[in-house]
Amino acid sequence: MALDGCGLLCKYTLFIFNLIFALVGFVFLGLGLWLRFSESTRAIFQFEALNSSAFVIAVTVLIITGSVMLIVVVFGDYGACNEKRCALQIFSALVTILAVAVVVFGVIAYSSKEEIGLRMGEFYSSIYLLYVANHDPVLAVTLTFIQKLLHCCGATGVTLLDFAKETCPKPDSIWEHIKMDACPMAIINVFNRNAPLVMGVFVGTGALLVVALVCSIVLLTQTKKAQQEITARYTTVY
């Protein structure tokens, strides 16, 4: 079906949006599934006492989020590339739900930043203890990434004595060769200190979803108009 300039812009915008969404969704789902079924972490899910732990909750959220994102991508790409109204309608409904959920979750995260910070600190501690017990190389990469990002060292912060000191970032000063920030406390402080930034990320994500929704509505409108024109021509001929 023929699309005007605005329709084509929205079509390619949705394609790029879905491509980015797919990459993030695969990362979330892959990481969640690996943490769920890896030999070094699978045992956590077999104990009822740990089923409400921050680690289990975080892994479950990763798997669900990644799965939902990939489902959205399937409808979005199919609807945009093939200009299928049914797929675009489902995509629009899912994006609307996601946009509302993202903004609501952002508000909750901002108002409960202390609790969220504590939970994320617990999540880090779970990964840290699993690494100390198993020395899994993937857990080592995860710890290294987190600790380099926050410039912290392990659960204790004592650079020379920490059980995972090999995953700690390079010290920036003489004192840091002895003591750095402990990561659980660093994570809590980051959430408390950067709560407005975290809220901004959620709002920004919601805004991107709204842009995708608008583009989807534009495509829906133009495909409907094109279908009506084809029907009118067919009726005139016959």
Side-chain angles (χ1 to χ4, degrees):
M1 298 178 188
L3 298 173
D4 61 19
C6 183
L8 286 173
L9 176 62
C10 283
K11 181 175 181 176
Y12 292 120
T13 298
L14 278 182
F15 177 78
I16 295 172
F17 169 84
N18 284 305
L19 179 61
I20 296 172
F21 224 54
L23 291 174
V24 177
F26 274 121
V27 170
F28 281 2
L29 182 60
L31 180 60
L33 289 175
W34 175 82
L35 290 173
R36 175 63 181 83
F37 296 106
S38 171
E39 289 186 6
S40 58
T41 59
R42 187 168 47 203
I44 293 178
F45 296 86
Q46 297 173 353
F47 293 97
E48 281 190 30
L50 297 176
N51 282 345
S52 61
S53 70
F55 182 82
V56 173
I57 293 171
V59 170
T60 304
V61 168
L62 281 174
I63 293 173
I64 293 174
T65 303
S67 301
V68 170
M69 291 176 75
L70 292 177
I71 291 171
V72 170
V73 166
V74 169
F75 286 107
D77 262 346
Y78 179 73
C81 293
N82 297 286
E83 299 172 23
K84 298 294 185 181
R85 285 180 52 78
C86 182
L88 286 172
Q89 288 170 341
I90 296 173
F91 174 77
S92 298
L94 291 174
V95 168
T96 300
I97 295 170
L98 280 178
V100 173
V102 164
V103 174
V104 170
F105 188 78
V107 172
I108 293 173
Y110 181 79
S111 60
S112 307
K113 52 184 180 293
E114 293 86 1
E115 179 65 20
I116 298 293
L118 286 172
R119 291 293 182 182
M120 293 306 296
E122 289 177 17
F123 177 65
Y124 168 86
S125 297
S126 300
I127 295 178
Y128 174 85
L129 291 174
L130 287 168
Y131 171 74
V132 171
N134 299 287
H135 283 82
D136 188 300
V138 181
L139 289 175
V141 172
T142 305
L143 283 179
T144 301
F145 173 77
I146 295 173
Q147 293 173 166
K148 188 173 182 180
L149 183 67
L150 299 176
H151 197 71
C152 59
C153 181
T156 63
V158 181
T159 312
L160 297 175
L161 301 177
D162 195 90
F163 292 113
K165 58 180 180 292
E166 63 275 9
T167 64
C168 295
K170 292 182 179 179
D172 288 339
S173 64
I174 296 175
W175 172 247
E176 285 189 350
H177 281 277
I178 302 172
K179 182 73 170 69
M180 298 177 70
D181 290 337
C183 289
M185 187 54 65
I187 292 171
I188 293 171
N189 290 337
V190 163
F191 267 85
N192 290 337
R193 187 171 60 248
N194 298 321
L197 178 61
V198 173
M199 179 64 182
V201 170
F202 280 107
V203 172
T205 303
L208 288 176
L209 290 169
V210 169
V211 170
L213 177 62
V214 171
C215 284
S216 179
I217 292 173
V218 170
L219 281 179
L220 276 169
T221 303
Q222 294 205 4
T223 52
K224 181 179 180 180
K225 188 183 297 184
Q227 286 178 348
Q228 289 174 342
E229 290 176 357
I230 292 172
T231 302
R233 290 175 189 171
Y234 182 83
T235 304
T236 302
V237 172
Y238 294 96

